[in-house]
Amino acid sequence: MDAEPTRCAWADSTPDYRAYHDEEWGTPLHGDDALFERLCLEAFQSGLSWLTILRKRPAFRAAFAGFSIDAVAGFTAEDEARLLADAGIVRNRAKVAAAIGNARAAQRVPEGLSALLWSFAPTGHRPRPATLADVPATSPESTAMARELKRRGFVFVGPTTAYALMQATGMVDDHVASCFRAAE
């Protein structure tokens, strides 16, 4: 029987985390709608467990039209009321309004959301974290990303949320040194 690969410690607590870690987290992700989804989900996660968001992701995708920027930007007050009544997602009025407002802000990014977000990805060598304790919660790049997003009208995008987005979408690689994904 093959031994389980060594993962980042957070990934071993549930099968959901294991699949997310092994197949998605830290893998470079591009595309305006794909990154808009991640930006929204990171904002919805604020103050909650990522596992909660991960398990609700199919319902979020259905409720938010697959996170199509143009579709969400066109949401009306009736759509907002529908979202706030949807038990399948996190029903937080400020976060729902933020997702809709952020879609409208994303439409106004001339270079596209993907290009804007990736412009903050660090370049050059970064030391790989040895343990989870070595993984930062923010970085100068995530602070700059959050500042620029706020300048462009985005909300719920602080430096910690921006850094989590950078980790999740492969802009930074914070797989710990002993993790099998670190060798990829």
PDB file of all heavy atoms in Angstrom, residues 145-159:
ATOM      1  N   MET A 145      -1.568  45.408  -3.277  1.00  0.00           N
ATOM      2  CA  MET A 145      -2.735  44.957  -4.035  1.00  0.00           C
ATOM      3  C   MET A 145      -4.015  45.477  -3.384  1.00  0.00           C
ATOM      4  O   MET A 145      -4.895  46.016  -4.071  1.00  0.00           O
ATOM      5  CB  MET A 145      -2.778  43.427  -4.106  1.00  0.00           C
ATOM      6  CG  MET A 145      -4.024  42.889  -4.816  1.00  0.00           C
ATOM      7  SD  MET A 145      -4.229  41.097  -4.633  1.00  0.00           S
ATOM      8  CE  MET A 145      -3.009  40.484  -5.801  1.00  0.00           C
ATOM      9  N   ALA A 146      -4.126  45.323  -2.075  1.00  0.00           N
ATOM     10  CA  ALA A 146      -5.326  45.773  -1.369  1.00  0.00           C
ATOM     11  C   ALA A 146      -5.514  47.279  -1.527  1.00  0.00           C
ATOM     12  O   ALA A 146      -6.630  47.757  -1.780  1.00  0.00           O
ATOM     13  CB  ALA A 146      -5.234  45.395   0.109  1.00  0.00           C
ATOM     14  N   ARG A 147      -4.438  48.013  -1.420  1.00  0.00           N
ATOM     15  CA  ARG A 147      -4.507  49.474  -1.558  1.00  0.00           C
ATOM     16  C   ARG A 147      -5.000  49.863  -2.956  1.00  0.00           C
ATOM     17  O   ARG A 147      -5.869  50.725  -3.113  1.00  0.00           O
ATOM     18  CB  ARG A 147      -3.133  50.098  -1.286  1.00  0.00           C
ATOM     19  CG  ARG A 147      -3.139  51.619  -1.259  1.00  0.00           C
ATOM     20  CD  ARG A 147      -1.763  52.213  -0.953  1.00  0.00           C
ATOM     21  NE  ARG A 147      -1.115  51.600   0.187  1.00  0.00           N
ATOM     22  CZ  ARG A 147       0.027  50.906   0.136  1.00  0.00           C
ATOM     23  NH1 ARG A 147       0.672  50.748  -1.004  1.00  0.00           N
ATOM     24  NH2 ARG A 147       0.544  50.379   1.228  1.00  0.00           N
ATOM     25  N   GLU A 148      -4.472  49.198  -3.978  1.00  0.00           N
ATOM     26  CA  GLU A 148      -4.873  49.518  -5.348  1.00  0.00           C
ATOM     27  C   GLU A 148      -6.312  49.096  -5.622  1.00  0.00           C
ATOM     28  O   GLU A 148      -7.059  49.824  -6.291  1.00  0.00           O
ATOM     29  CB  GLU A 148      -3.923  48.870  -6.355  1.00  0.00           C
ATOM     30  CG  GLU A 148      -4.244  49.160  -7.802  1.00  0.00           C
ATOM     31  CD  GLU A 148      -4.215  50.647  -8.178  1.00  0.00           C
ATOM     32  OE1 GLU A 148      -3.641  51.471  -7.423  1.00  0.00           O
ATOM     33  OE2 GLU A 148      -4.780  50.987  -9.244  1.00  0.00           O
ATOM     34  N   LEU A 149      -6.711  47.943  -5.131  1.00  0.00           N
ATOM     35  CA  LEU A 149      -8.097  47.516  -5.314  1.00  0.00           C
ATOM     36  C   LEU A 149      -9.057  48.500  -4.648  1.00  0.00           C
ATOM     37  O   LEU A 149     -10.061  48.891  -5.240  1.00  0.00           O
ATOM     38  CB  LEU A 149      -8.303  46.097  -4.769  1.00  0.00           C
ATOM     39  CG  LEU A 149      -7.689  44.969  -5.600  1.00  0.00           C
ATOM     40  CD1 LEU A 149      -7.747  43.646  -4.843  1.00  0.00           C
ATOM     41  CD2 LEU A 149      -8.364  44.844  -6.961  1.00  0.00           C
ATOM     42  N   LYS A 150      -8.734  48.916  -3.447  1.00  0.00           N
ATOM     43  CA  LYS A 150      -9.591  49.890  -2.756  1.00  0.00           C
ATOM     44  C   LYS A 150      -9.639  51.204  -3.533  1.00  0.00           C
ATOM     45  O   LYS A 150     -10.697  51.813  -3.661  1.00  0.00           O
ATOM     46  CB  LYS A 150      -9.091  50.116  -1.332  1.00  0.00           C
ATOM     47  CG  LYS A 150      -9.390  48.947  -0.421  1.00  0.00           C
ATOM     48  CD  LYS A 150      -8.816  49.156   0.964  1.00  0.00           C
ATOM     49  CE  LYS A 150      -9.051  47.921   1.817  1.00  0.00           C
ATOM     50  NZ  LYS A 150      -8.449  48.034   3.143  1.00  0.00           N
ATOM     51  N   ARG A 151      -8.499  51.627  -4.070  1.00  0.00           N
ATOM     52  CA  ARG A 151      -8.452  52.862  -4.863  1.00  0.00           C
ATOM     53  C   ARG A 151      -9.385  52.767  -6.069  1.00  0.00           C
ATOM     54  O   ARG A 151      -9.994  53.742  -6.486  1.00  0.00           O
ATOM     55  CB  ARG A 151      -7.010  53.142  -5.316  1.00  0.00           C
ATOM     56  CG  ARG A 151      -6.832  54.499  -5.995  1.00  0.00           C
ATOM     57  CD  ARG A 151      -5.440  54.669  -6.573  1.00  0.00           C
ATOM     58  NE  ARG A 151      -5.233  53.911  -7.799  1.00  0.00           N
ATOM     59  CZ  ARG A 151      -5.730  54.222  -8.987  1.00  0.00           C
ATOM     60  NH1 ARG A 151      -6.497  55.272  -9.140  1.00  0.00           N
ATOM     61  NH2 ARG A 151      -5.473  53.474 -10.051  1.00  0.00           N
ATOM     62  N   ARG A 152      -9.530  51.548  -6.585  1.00  0.00           N
ATOM     63  CA  ARG A 152     -10.382  51.330  -7.767  1.00  0.00           C
ATOM     64  C   ARG A 152     -11.831  50.994  -7.408  1.00  0.00           C
ATOM     65  O   ARG A 152     -12.611  50.616  -8.270  1.00  0.00           O
ATOM     66  CB  ARG A 152      -9.787  50.233  -8.640  1.00  0.00           C
ATOM     67  CG  ARG A 152      -8.457  50.654  -9.280  1.00  0.00           C
ATOM     68  CD  ARG A 152      -7.938  49.544 -10.159  1.00  0.00           C
ATOM     69  NE  ARG A 152      -6.616  49.806 -10.669  1.00  0.00           N
ATOM     70  CZ  ARG A 152      -6.271  49.636 -11.942  1.00  0.00           C
ATOM     71  NH1 ARG A 152      -7.164  49.248 -12.839  1.00  0.00           N
ATOM     72  NH2 ARG A 152      -5.032  49.857 -12.320  1.00  0.00           N
ATOM     73  N   GLY A 153     -12.177  51.112  -6.137  1.00  0.00           N
ATOM     74  CA  GLY A 153     -13.558  50.944  -5.718  1.00  0.00           C
ATOM     75  C   GLY A 153     -13.949  49.580  -5.179  1.00  0.00           C
ATOM     76  O   GLY A 153     -15.123  49.343  -4.905  1.00  0.00           O
ATOM     77  N   PHE A 154     -12.999  48.670  -5.021  1.00  0.00           N
ATOM     78  CA  PHE A 154     -13.289  47.352  -4.450  1.00  0.00           C
ATOM     79  C   PHE A 154     -13.380  47.474  -2.926  1.00  0.00           C
ATOM     80  O   PHE A 154     -12.736  48.331  -2.324  1.00  0.00           O
ATOM     81  CB  PHE A 154     -12.177  46.353  -4.804  1.00  0.00           C
ATOM     82  CG  PHE A 154     -12.140  45.946  -6.246  1.00  0.00           C
ATOM     83  CD1 PHE A 154     -11.538  46.759  -7.199  1.00  0.00           C
ATOM     84  CD2 PHE A 154     -12.682  44.739  -6.660  1.00  0.00           C
ATOM     85  CE1 PHE A 154     -11.478  46.382  -8.534  1.00  0.00           C
ATOM     86  CE2 PHE A 154     -12.625  44.352  -7.993  1.00  0.00           C
ATOM     87  CZ  PHE A 154     -12.030  45.175  -8.931  1.00  0.00           C
ATOM     88  N   VAL A 155     -14.169  46.584  -2.327  1.00  0.00           N
ATOM     89  CA  VAL A 155     -14.290  46.537  -0.870  1.00  0.00           C
ATOM     90  C   VAL A 155     -14.091  45.102  -0.387  1.00  0.00           C
ATOM     91  O   VAL A 155     -14.112  44.166  -1.181  1.00  0.00           O
ATOM     92  CB  VAL A 155     -15.651  47.094  -0.383  1.00  0.00           C
ATOM     93  CG1 VAL A 155     -15.781  48.577  -0.713  1.00  0.00           C
ATOM     94  CG2 VAL A 155     -16.809  46.324  -0.989  1.00  0.00           C
ATOM     95  N   PHE A 156     -13.905  44.950   0.925  1.00  0.00           N
ATOM     96  CA  PHE A 156     -13.619  43.649   1.532  1.00  0.00           C
ATOM     97  C   PHE A 156     -12.353  43.049   0.939  1.00  0.00           C
ATOM     98  O   PHE A 156     -12.297  41.848   0.647  1.00  0.00           O
ATOM     99  CB  PHE A 156     -14.803  42.671   1.380  1.00  0.00           C
ATOM    100  CG  PHE A 156     -15.772  42.726   2.535  1.00  0.00           C
ATOM    101  CD1 PHE A 156     -16.863  43.565   2.474  1.00  0.00           C
ATOM    102  CD2 PHE A 156     -15.582  41.947   3.662  1.00  0.00           C
ATOM    103  CE1 PHE A 156     -17.758  43.633   3.524  1.00  0.00           C
ATOM    104  CE2 PHE A 156     -16.468  41.998   4.723  1.00  0.00           C
ATOM    105  CZ  PHE A 156     -17.565  42.840   4.655  1.00  0.00           C
ATOM    106  N   VAL A 157     -11.347  43.877   0.735  1.00  0.00           N
ATOM    107  CA  VAL A 157     -10.096  43.427   0.112  1.00  0.00           C
ATOM    108  C   VAL A 157      -8.887  43.960   0.883  1.00  0.00           C
ATOM    109  O   VAL A 157      -8.045  44.629   0.320  1.00  0.00           O
ATOM    110  CB  VAL A 157     -10.006  43.856  -1.372  1.00  0.00           C
ATOM    111  CG1 VAL A 157     -10.952  43.057  -2.231  1.00  0.00           C
ATOM    112  CG2 VAL A 157     -10.264  45.349  -1.534  1.00  0.00           C
ATOM    113  N   GLY A 158      -8.807  43.628   2.166  1.00  0.00           N
ATOM    114  CA  GLY A 158      -7.655  44.041   2.951  1.00  0.00           C
ATOM    115  C   GLY A 158      -6.415  43.229   2.612  1.00  0.00           C
ATOM    116  O   GLY A 158      -6.481  42.270   1.823  1.00  0.00           O
ATOM    117  N   PRO A 159      -5.278  43.589   3.194  1.00  0.00           N
ATOM    118  CA  PRO A 159      -4.022  42.885   2.909  1.00  0.00           C
ATOM    119  C   PRO A 159      -4.054  41.388   3.217  1.00  0.00           C
ATOM    120  O   PRO A 159      -3.449  40.601   2.490  1.00  0.00           O
ATOM    121  CB  PRO A 159      -3.002  43.598   3.793  1.00  0.00           C
ATOM    122  CG  PRO A 159      -3.584  44.955   4.029  1.00  0.00           C
ATOM    123  CD  PRO A 159      -5.071  44.763   4.058  1.00  0.00           C
TER     124      PRO A 159
END
